[in-house]
Amino acid sequence: MSHEDDIDLELGRLRDATADLRPSAGFADRVMAAVVDVPDVTLIDVVGRWGRWAVAAAAMAAAAASFVAVDMEQDVNAEVISTFDAVELSP
Amino acid sequence: MSADLQRQAARVAKGDRAAFRTIVEHTQVPLHRLASRLLGNPAEAEDVLQEAYVKAYRALAADRFSGDSALQTWLYRIVTNAALDHMRRGRPKEKSAESVPEPQMDGAGSAEARMALRELDEWLQDLTPDQRAVVILKAVEGMTTPEVAEVLACSEGAVEQRLVRARATLRDKRDQTESRKP
């Protein structure tokens, strides 16, 4: 008999021999008692659920702010250029 | 049964805790057997399984179970990961034969099953947690390579590689044991 067969036979024997393992009495009750203490929705769940929308909204706000800033800078530059060669006459 | 459990999962997402109890009652025996075989100790297996069920409940209640895989496969994954984390954190018990307590008769299977579990644990103790998980899932639980890969979230090649290494370790151990026999 090969080593591989030998290993498979041994694992098969131990699988059958451990087949009737089961949790102790009242296990399901203990699980349900632990579950009752768990809040249905945690802060992590809220962040996980709404986080992607918050990131998308923040990215759009950042893009809009950048556009406004560039636009205002162009207005300022235009004003500066238009006054560069102007001669101020005093009365 | 699988479709029924899937329906129960949908009910848990709507806040029905009784539906989760149905899931626990239908899955606790195979999942406890899996955790026991992974950890080699039924009492530790109960603690890890309870922790895994709480994680599963939290995910179901928050509607984070996508339903892409069967609920049982998903639960197998949660329990296996919880057991692997437990093993990597360091198991509290000593592994020497003298320090392993005698099997108790307080439920959790027959004395023979507990003795066999101890034998399995001692035989697999030289394997890494990942190798041990592959051996248990494939050679003991009877899962296919794609199923094991899904549970362990790794490639099928990685499963086969771990299995080959695990078999080599088990073969060496068997050879050493046989060479010591008179």
Side-chain angles (χ1 to χ4, degrees):
Chain A
M1 185 181 294
S2 74
H3 279 298
E4 299 304 306
D5 292 340
D6 198 27
I7 288 171
D8 286 334
L9 275 178
E10 185 65 1
L11 287 170
R13 183 184 71 78
L14 291 170
R15 176 187 59 230
D16 294 343
T18 54
D20 74 341
L21 284 168
R22 56 200 64 249
S24 55
F27 176 72
D29 293 332
R30 290 195 295 280
V31 170
M32 292 313 294
V35 159
V36 166
D37 294 336
V38 176
D40 282 350
V41 179
T42 63
L43 181 61
I44 292 171
D45 296 327
V46 172
V47 171
R49 195 173 293 177
W50 297 108
R52 70 187 68 176
W53 296 108
V55 169
M60 287 174 67
S66 299
F67 177 78
V68 169
V70 168
D71 192 47
M72 288 179 74
E73 188 183 13
Q74 284 174 344
D75 287 349
V76 170
N77 287 342
E79 289 297 324
V80 169
I81 289 167
S82 67
T83 59
F84 185 68
D85 286 330
V87 177
E88 190 176 328
L89 299 172
S90 56
Chain B
M1 176 51 65
S2 181
D4 187 46
L5 286 180
Q6 220 83 353
R7 272 197 296 276
Q8 299 296 333
R11 287 174 57 192
V12 176
K14 291 174 185 159
D16 185 350
R17 281 200 168 120
F20 189 70
R21 188 183 186 95
T22 305
I23 292 172
V24 173
E25 285 173 350
H26 279 91
T27 57
Q28 61 177 337
V29 172
L31 290 178
H32 177 262
R33 197 162 49 221
L34 168 68
S36 296
R37 286 166 171 168
L38 286 168
L39 296 167
N41 182 315
E44 274 180 60
E46 274 197 19
D47 292 344
V48 167
L49 183 56
Q50 181 170 321
E51 188 186 316
Y53 271 131
V54 169
K55 279 183 191 166
Y57 175 78
R58 195 172 279 161
L60 288 173
D63 208 7
R64 279 191 274 120
F65 170 59
S66 63
D68 291 342
S69 59
L71 183 76
Q72 271 175 310
T73 306
W74 182 71
L75 289 172
Y76 260 70
R77 178 188 273 198
I78 293 175
V79 172
T80 303
N81 284 334
L84 285 171
D85 286 346
H86 188 79
M87 282 189 264
R88 290 180 186 129
R89 280 199 302 265
R91 298 156 72 180
K93 68 174 184 177
E94 268 298 315
K95 287 194 172 183
S96 67
E98 293 77 23
S99 62
V100 177
E102 284 300 310
Q104 297 164 7
M105 298 295 288
D106 58 346
S110 65
E112 290 80 13
R114 285 168 163 248
M115 292 291 282
L117 186 65
R118 193 166 80 176
E119 199 181 333
L120 180 67
D121 186 42
E122 284 172 6
W123 195 34
L124 303 183
Q125 69 179 336
D126 294 338
L127 303 182
T128 65
D130 286 334
Q131 289 171 353
R132 185 180 175 116
V134 168
V135 168
I136 295 293
L137 290 169
K138 193 158 194 297
V140 179
E141 295 286 332
M143 288 183 165
T144 63
T145 300
E147 285 170 339
V148 176
E150 188 178 354
V151 167
L152 295 176
C154 66
S155 68
E156 293 179 28
V159 171
E160 292 296 346
Q161 195 178 40
R162 288 174 198 172
L163 196 61
V164 166
R165 287 182 182 161
R167 282 181 178 282
T169 305
L170 294 176
R171 203 165 45 235
D172 289 348
K173 188 165 184 170
R174 178 54 50 90
D175 289 345
Q176 284 169 10
T177 309
E178 283 177 1
S179 67
R180 281 195 217 108
K181 285 181 183 172

